[in-house]
Amino acid sequence: MNFQIALILGQDGITNGAIYALLALSILLVFTVTRILLIPLGEFVTFGALTMAAIQMGKAPALEWLLLALTLIDCGMDLYQYRHKLDGRKFQTIGLKLGYVIAMIALIQTLPLAELPMVFQALLTLALMVPLGPLMYRLFFQPLADAPALVLLIVSIAVHVAMVGVGLLLFGPEGARTEPFTDTVFRVGPMMLKSQTLWVIMVSVILIVTLFLLFERTLYGKALRATAVNRTGARLLGISPVFAGKATFALAAFIGTLSGILIAPITTLYFDSGFIISLKGFVGAIIGGLISYPLAAVGAVAVGLIEAFSMFWASTYKEIIVFTLIIPFLIWRSMTSHHVEDDE
Amino acid sequence: MPSRKTLSALIAAATLASSMVAPVAMADIKVGVVTSSTGPIALVGIPQKNTVALLPDHAGGEKITYIPLDDASDPTATVKAFKKLIDDEKVDAIIGPSGSGNAMGVIQFAAESGTPMLAPVGTAAVVLPMTEEKKWVFKTTQNDDLIAAALVDHMKKSGVKTIGMMGTADPYGENWSRVMKGLTEKAGIKIVADEHFQRQDTSLTGQSLKILMSNPDAVLIAAPGSSSVMPQTTLKDQGYSGQIYQTHGAALDPFLRLGGKAVEGTILAASLMLVLDEVPESKSKEIAEDYVDRYTRIYGNAPATFGGNVYDAGLLLQNAIPAALEQGKPGTAEFRAALRTALENTTEMAATQGVYNLTPEDHSGFDERGRELITVKDGGWALMD
């Protein structure tokens, strides 16, 4: 082990750590606002990456049909739920949703996907993926928003398992990888810096800062924060829990998809890779005690670094080392923070 | 994509339905097929499941019905599927499962009930060392050491003195480490690094650095399916310029697509199915061409080698059934025992993967006619001369 190898491993660890940090933040965000541990977050990562790969190969991503199907079910549920008080506004919302999906499908079927500039490919992927977040909340979690956290966790696991199956159906068993955003390689002293690494770190930092501003400075962000602090109190002040749930899921879907797009050029992703990636984000979130954003981000980067170095020293035991990390933190956490019984 | 998937699903459903609905005459021969068409090793299982529709439907004047089941890559589900096939369906033989680990777990059930099992799996551990239980297992893939011998041979000829290995941390990679240790020792080649990784790992920088540090003449990557690509691209990215060898696990078209320029010049040994157009005429080539044509007509894409392994299992059964029919009626223990003996006596049978010569000691039975040295040239497979 010399300095140069440490540098390369460090660079690798920080790149992965930045992705884990993003995921840790969205896990935290969803958990604090809705009490749901978002296990299917990893699927947003893989679906995003695989959709991007399909678009780059010039194939219409099969994801559009999933989006269509979920939207139709969603509209059906809306119609049923409001069947006694249907008015123009309800129809307008339903029309807008359907119109959006149909417009997306029309776009995908007609655009020359492979020739689009990469920015548009990424935007298209995001436009397809992000609505899945609120849809997921509407269909699986909203009907039992008041259920105990354990029930929500079980539903979350079920959704994850179903999504992995759907992923196999939509994208096939082969992995995929996308083109790097830019091909340039920078030399800094003894080190080679791949531009994709810089992209990952840059986008992650920008996203984290944006999230911070969103929550500190905007009304919507404050509403979400209020819900996280005290759900009932926020509701009394007129913050809709349905809105809060959908908004956080949309944010989680956005962050997950973006993470997928960011790492797809670095690694081969399979339909079932998402779980292990989001699990590492989860370890980060645990280090932050499922409460503290800065601690979670730092923890996630630490997970990335430890992973990189353990991969060098003991490649066979890498996962064991990373996931065993959670135990001392749980012990430390349970000793230092005072225990609050779950309100159910 | 969706239309092809739906089509294959429909066909699978249709085969399943027809096997259940068709009035089953008592004398029909029943063969269970267990594959992993969903779950982590679906890449292997899907072409295998698709192949069921192409398997021979008659042998020795009797109709063969196939009962396909999916084990979702889960070893527990494999055991359940085997028990269902053996206890409820009273099958005469079982083809499957797809995964090495899954196969290891069901050998005892096949042996207990005396049902011949034809495993299209990679690991030689299912038939070696031969035991009383493994007597019931036959393997339709080349043993790792046969493929490895071809690679080591080539290394020796091209003057390689040291190699680094990068394999998956699963039975496939572990077995390759073991096999290569033995063979390289004999050939006077030294393994200077032996690294392992998980299929879903997002980064292999550490392993690859470790190999680069020991600076071997060549690197062998032992990983099944698309996971064989990332070690190679990582090594190339970090500036490794030696020869890279791959195992038959990489012998799939996604390897070329995902690897792009980084896999150009790779050397691997695999069955002739990859380079059908280039190999000289032989019985195996004829059978493989017919199989690939029929498969492509139904599913719209050429099958991966894994499908060929299941097809060969069907051919082996077809070949053995007439002799077994003389000993007993399908559905009886005598028939299954006779079928096992007949399978064991298979001689010079050509199939898609090579020529089978099974003996009581060798339940895989390939020789060098079952492997070709293949290289990647201009983004396609090419036979090495």
Side-chain angles (χ1 to χ4, degrees), chain B residues 156-202:
Chain B
K156 210 172 155 186
K157 264 190 219 145
S158 44
V160 171
K161 290 270 173 292
T162 51
I163 61 163
M165 281 198 64
M166 178 121 86
T168 40
D170 62 9
Y172 188 85
E174 305 289 348
N175 194 53
W176 266 91
S177 291
R178 210 175 46 74
V179 167
M180 285 302 287
K181 223 162 263 165
L183 283 173
T184 47
E185 232 163 68
K186 270 183 236 151
I189 297 171
K190 211 165 154 253
I191 300 180
V192 289
D194 188 4
E195 292 298 310
H196 292 273
F197 67 98
Q198 305 282 341
R199 183 179 68 101
Q200 298 174 331
D201 280 355
T202 47

Coordinates of all heavy atoms in Angstrom, one line a residue, chain B residues 156-202:
Chain B
K156 N 0.8 -21.4 -21.6 CA 2.1 -22.0 -21.6 C 2.7 -21.7 -22.9 O 3.9 -21.3 -23.0 CB 1.9 -23.5 -21.4 CG 3.1 -24.1 -20.7 CD 2.8 -25.5 -20.3 CE 4.1 -26.3 -20.2 NZ 3.8 -27.7 -20.0
K157 N 2.0 -21.9 -24.0 CA 2.5 -21.7 -25.3 C 2.9 -20.3 -25.6 O 3.9 -20.0 -26.2 CB 1.4 -22.1 -26.4 CG 1.6 -23.5 -26.9 CD 0.7 -23.8 -28.0 CE 0.1 -25.2 -28.0 NZ -1.3 -25.2 -28.5
S158 N 2.2 -19.3 -25.0 CA 2.5 -17.9 -25.3 C 3.5 -17.4 -24.2 O 3.7 -16.2 -24.1 CB 1.2 -17.1 -25.4 OG 0.3 -17.4 -24.4
G159 N 4.0 -18.2 -23.4 CA 5.1 -17.8 -22.5 C 4.7 -17.1 -21.3 O 5.5 -16.3 -20.7
V160 N 3.4 -17.3 -20.8 CA 3.0 -16.6 -19.6 C 3.6 -17.3 -18.4 O 3.6 -18.6 -18.3 CB 1.4 -16.7 -19.5 CG1 1.0 -16.2 -18.2 CG2 0.8 -15.9 -20.6
K161 N 4.2 -16.6 -17.5 CA 4.9 -17.2 -16.3 C 4.1 -16.9 -15.1 O 4.1 -17.7 -14.1 CB 6.3 -16.6 -16.2 CG 7.2 -17.0 -17.2 CD 8.0 -18.3 -16.8 CE 8.8 -18.9 -18.0 NZ 8.0 -19.4 -19.1
T162 N 3.4 -15.8 -15.0 CA 2.6 -15.4 -13.8 C 1.2 -15.0 -14.2 O 1.0 -14.3 -15.2 CB 3.3 -14.3 -13.0 OG1 3.5 -13.2 -14.0 CG2 4.6 -14.7 -12.4
I163 N 0.2 -15.4 -13.4 CA -1.1 -14.9 -13.7 C -1.8 -14.4 -12.4 O -1.4 -14.8 -11.3 CB -2.1 -16.0 -14.3 CG1 -2.2 -17.2 -13.4 CG2 -1.6 -16.5 -15.7 CD1 -3.4 -18.0 -13.7
G164 N -2.7 -13.5 -12.7 CA -3.6 -13.0 -11.6 C -4.9 -13.5 -11.8 O -5.3 -13.7 -13.0
M165 N -5.7 -13.8 -10.8 CA -7.0 -14.3 -11.0 C -8.0 -13.4 -10.3 O -7.8 -12.9 -9.2 CB -7.2 -15.7 -10.4 CG -6.6 -16.8 -11.3 SD -7.3 -18.4 -10.8 CE -9.0 -18.2 -11.1
M166 N -9.2 -13.2 -10.9 CA -10.2 -12.4 -10.3 C -11.5 -13.2 -10.6 O -11.9 -13.4 -11.7 CB -10.3 -11.0 -11.0 CG -11.4 -10.2 -10.5 SD -10.8 -8.6 -9.8 CE -10.7 -7.5 -11.0
G167 N -12.1 -13.7 -9.5 CA -13.3 -14.5 -9.6 C -14.4 -14.1 -8.7 O -14.2 -13.3 -7.8
T168 N -15.6 -14.6 -9.0 CA -16.7 -14.2 -8.1 C -16.6 -15.0 -6.8 O -16.1 -16.1 -6.8 CB -18.1 -14.6 -8.8 OG1 -17.9 -15.8 -9.5 CG2 -18.5 -13.5 -9.8
A169 N -17.1 -14.4 -5.8 CA -17.1 -15.1 -4.5 C -18.3 -16.0 -4.4 O -19.2 -15.8 -3.6 CB -17.1 -14.1 -3.4
D170 N -18.4 -17.0 -5.3 CA -19.5 -18.0 -5.3 C -18.9 -19.3 -5.8 O -17.7 -19.4 -6.1 CB -20.7 -17.5 -6.1 CG -20.3 -17.3 -7.6 OD1 -19.2 -17.7 -8.0 OD2 -21.1 -16.8 -8.4
P171 N -19.7 -20.4 -5.8 CA -19.1 -21.7 -6.2 C -18.4 -21.6 -7.5 O -17.4 -22.3 -7.7 CB -20.4 -22.6 -6.3 CG -21.4 -22.0 -5.3 CD -21.1 -20.6 -5.4
Y172 N -18.9 -20.8 -8.4 CA -18.3 -20.7 -9.8 C -16.8 -20.2 -9.7 O -15.9 -20.9 -10.1 CB -19.1 -19.8 -10.7 CG -18.6 -19.8 -12.1 CD1 -19.0 -20.8 -13.0 CD2 -17.7 -18.9 -12.6 CE1 -18.6 -20.8 -14.3 CE2 -17.2 -18.9 -13.9 CZ -17.7 -19.9 -14.7 OH -17.2 -19.9 -16.0
G173 N -16.7 -19.1 -9.0 CA -15.3 -18.5 -8.9 C -14.4 -19.3 -8.0 O -13.2 -19.5 -8.4
E174 N -15.0 -19.9 -6.9 CA -14.2 -20.7 -6.0 C -13.6 -21.9 -6.7 O -12.5 -22.3 -6.6 CB -15.0 -21.1 -4.8 CG -15.7 -20.0 -4.0 CD -14.7 -19.1 -3.3 OE1 -13.5 -19.5 -3.1 OE2 -15.0 -18.0 -2.8
N175 N -14.5 -22.6 -7.5 CA -14.1 -23.8 -8.2 C -13.0 -23.5 -9.2 O -12.0 -24.2 -9.3 CB -15.3 -24.5 -8.8 CG -14.9 -25.9 -9.2 OD1 -14.5 -26.7 -8.4 ND2 -15.2 -26.2 -10.5
W176 N -13.1 -22.4 -9.9 CA -12.1 -22.0 -10.8 C -10.7 -21.8 -10.1 O -9.7 -22.2 -10.6 CB -12.5 -20.8 -11.6 CG -13.1 -21.2 -12.9 CD1 -14.5 -21.4 -13.1 CD2 -12.5 -21.5 -14.2 NE1 -14.6 -21.8 -14.4 CE2 -13.5 -21.9 -15.1 CE3 -11.1 -21.5 -14.6 CZ2 -13.2 -22.2 -16.4 CZ3 -10.8 -21.8 -15.9 CH2 -11.8 -22.2 -16.8
S177 N -10.8 -21.1 -9.0 CA -9.5 -20.9 -8.2 C -8.9 -22.2 -7.9 O -7.7 -22.4 -8.1 CB -9.8 -20.2 -6.9 OG -10.2 -18.9 -7.1
R178 N -9.7 -23.2 -7.5 CA -9.2 -24.5 -7.1 C -8.6 -25.2 -8.3 O -7.5 -25.7 -8.3 CB -10.4 -25.3 -6.6 CG -10.0 -26.3 -5.5 CD -11.2 -27.0 -5.0 NE -12.2 -27.4 -6.0 CZ -12.0 -28.4 -6.8 NH1 -11.0 -29.2 -6.7 NH2 -12.9 -28.7 -7.8
V179 N -9.4 -25.2 -9.4 CA -8.9 -25.9 -10.6 C -7.6 -25.3 -11.2 O -6.7 -26.0 -11.5 CB -10.0 -25.9 -11.7 CG1 -9.5 -26.3 -13.1 CG2 -11.2 -26.8 -11.3
M180 N -7.6 -24.0 -11.2 CA -6.4 -23.3 -11.8 C -5.2 -23.6 -10.9 O -4.1 -23.7 -11.5 CB -6.6 -21.8 -11.9 CG -7.6 -21.4 -13.0 SD -7.0 -21.9 -14.6 CE -5.6 -20.8 -14.9
K181 N -5.3 -23.7 -9.6 CA -4.2 -23.9 -8.7 C -3.5 -25.2 -9.2 O -2.3 -25.2 -9.3 CB -4.7 -24.0 -7.3 CG -3.8 -23.2 -6.3 CD -4.5 -23.0 -5.0 CE -5.1 -21.6 -5.0 NZ -6.0 -21.4 -3.9
G182 N -4.3 -26.2 -9.3 CA -3.7 -27.5 -9.7 C -3.1 -27.5 -11.1 O -1.9 -27.9 -11.2
L183 N -3.8 -26.9 -12.1 CA -3.3 -27.0 -13.4 C -2.0 -26.1 -13.6 O -1.1 -26.5 -14.3 CB -4.4 -26.5 -14.4 CG -5.4 -27.6 -14.7 CD1 -6.6 -26.9 -15.5 CD2 -4.9 -28.8 -15.4
T184 N -2.0 -24.9 -13.0 CA -0.9 -24.0 -13.2 C 0.3 -24.6 -12.6 O 1.4 -24.4 -13.1 CB -1.2 -22.6 -12.7 OG1 -1.7 -22.8 -11.3 CG2 -2.2 -21.8 -13.5
E185 N 0.2 -25.2 -11.5 CA 1.3 -25.8 -10.8 C 2.1 -26.8 -11.8 O 3.3 -26.7 -11.9 CB 0.9 -26.6 -9.6 CG 1.6 -26.2 -8.3 CD 0.9 -26.7 -7.1 OE1 0.8 -27.9 -6.9 OE2 0.3 -25.9 -6.3
K186 N 1.3 -27.6 -12.4 CA 1.8 -28.6 -13.3 C 2.5 -27.9 -14.5 O 3.5 -28.3 -15.0 CB 0.7 -29.5 -13.9 CG 0.6 -30.7 -13.0 CD -0.5 -31.7 -13.6 CE -1.6 -32.0 -12.6 NZ -2.8 -32.2 -13.3
A187 N 1.9 -26.8 -14.9 CA 2.5 -26.1 -16.1 C 3.6 -25.1 -15.8 O 4.1 -24.5 -16.6 CB 1.3 -25.3 -16.8
G188 N 3.9 -25.0 -14.5 CA 5.0 -24.1 -14.1 C 4.6 -22.6 -14.2 O 5.4 -21.8 -14.3
I189 N 3.3 -22.4 -14.0 CA 2.8 -21.0 -14.0 C 2.5 -20.6 -12.6 O 2.0 -21.4 -11.8 CB 1.6 -20.8 -14.9 CG1 2.0 -21.1 -16.4 CG2 1.0 -19.4 -14.8 CD1 0.8 -21.1 -17.3
K190 N 2.8 -19.4 -12.2 CA 2.5 -19.0 -10.8 C 1.3 -18.1 -10.7 O 1.2 -17.1 -11.5 CB 3.8 -18.3 -10.3 CG 4.0 -18.5 -8.8 CD 5.4 -18.1 -8.3 CE 5.3 -17.7 -6.9 NZ 5.4 -16.3 -6.5
I191 N 0.4 -18.4 -9.7 CA -0.7 -17.5 -9.5 C -0.2 -16.4 -8.5 O 0.0 -16.8 -7.3 CB -1.9 -18.2 -9.0 CG1 -2.4 -19.3 -10.0 CG2 -3.1 -17.2 -8.7 CD1 -3.6 -20.1 -9.6
V192 N -0.1 -15.2 -8.9 CA 0.5 -14.2 -8.0 C -0.6 -13.4 -7.2 O -0.3 -12.7 -6.3 CB 1.4 -13.2 -8.7 CG1 2.7 -13.9 -9.1 CG2 0.7 -12.6 -9.9
A193 N -1.8 -13.4 -7.7 CA -2.9 -12.7 -7.0 C -4.2 -13.5 -7.3 O -4.5 -13.9 -8.4 CB -3.0 -11.3 -7.5
D194 N -5.0 -13.7 -6.2 CA -6.3 -14.4 -6.4 C -7.3 -13.6 -5.6 O -7.5 -13.6 -4.4 CB -6.2 -15.8 -5.8 CG -7.4 -16.6 -6.1 OD1 -8.3 -16.1 -6.8 OD2 -7.5 -17.8 -5.6
E195 N -8.1 -12.8 -6.4 CA -9.0 -11.8 -5.8 C -10.5 -12.2 -6.1 O -10.7 -12.9 -7.1 CB -8.8 -10.4 -6.4 CG -7.5 -9.8 -6.0 CD -7.4 -9.6 -4.5 OE1 -8.3 -9.0 -3.9 OE2 -6.4 -10.1 -3.9
H196 N -11.4 -11.9 -5.2 CA -12.8 -12.2 -5.4 C -13.7 -11.0 -5.3 O -13.3 -10.0 -4.6 CB -13.2 -13.3 -4.3 CG -12.5 -14.6 -4.6 ND1 -13.0 -15.5 -5.4 CD2 -11.3 -15.1 -4.1 CE1 -12.2 -16.5 -5.4 NE2 -11.2 -16.3 -4.7
F197 N -14.8 -11.1 -5.9 CA -15.8 -10.0 -5.8 C -17.2 -10.6 -5.9 O -17.4 -11.7 -6.2 CB -15.5 -9.0 -7.0 CG -15.8 -9.6 -8.4 CD1 -17.0 -9.3 -9.0 CD2 -14.8 -10.3 -9.0 CE1 -17.3 -9.8 -10.3 CE2 -15.1 -10.8 -10.3 CZ -16.3 -10.6 -10.9
Q198 N -18.2 -9.7 -5.6 CA -19.6 -10.1 -5.7 C -20.1 -9.6 -7.0 O -19.8 -8.5 -7.5 CB -20.4 -9.4 -4.6 CG -19.9 -9.7 -3.2 CD -20.3 -11.1 -2.7 OE1 -21.2 -11.7 -3.2 NE2 -19.6 -11.6 -1.7
R199 N -21.1 -10.3 -7.6 CA -21.7 -9.9 -8.8 C -22.2 -8.5 -8.8 O -22.1 -7.8 -9.8 CB -22.8 -10.9 -9.2 CG -23.5 -10.7 -10.5 CD -24.6 -11.7 -10.7 NE -25.7 -11.5 -9.8 CZ -26.8 -10.9 -10.2 NH1 -27.0 -10.5 -11.4 NH2 -27.8 -10.7 -9.3
Q200 N -22.8 -8.1 -7.7 CA -23.5 -6.8 -7.7 C -22.6 -5.6 -7.2 O -23.0 -4.5 -7.1 CB -24.7 -6.8 -6.8 CG -25.7 -7.8 -7.2 CD -26.8 -7.9 -6.2 OE1 -26.6 -7.8 -5.0 NE2 -28.0 -8.3 -6.7
D201 N -21.3 -5.9 -7.0 CA -20.4 -4.9 -6.6 C -20.4 -3.7 -7.6 O -20.4 -3.9 -8.8 CB -19.0 -5.4 -6.5 CG -18.7 -6.2 -5.2 OD1 -19.7 -6.2 -4.4 OD2 -17.7 -6.8 -5.0
T202 N -20.4 -2.5 -7.0 CA -20.4 -1.3 -7.9 C -19.0 -0.9 -8.3 O -18.9 0.0 -9.1 CB -21.2 -0.2 -7.3 OG1 -20.7 0.0 -6.0 CG2 -22.7 -0.5 -7.3

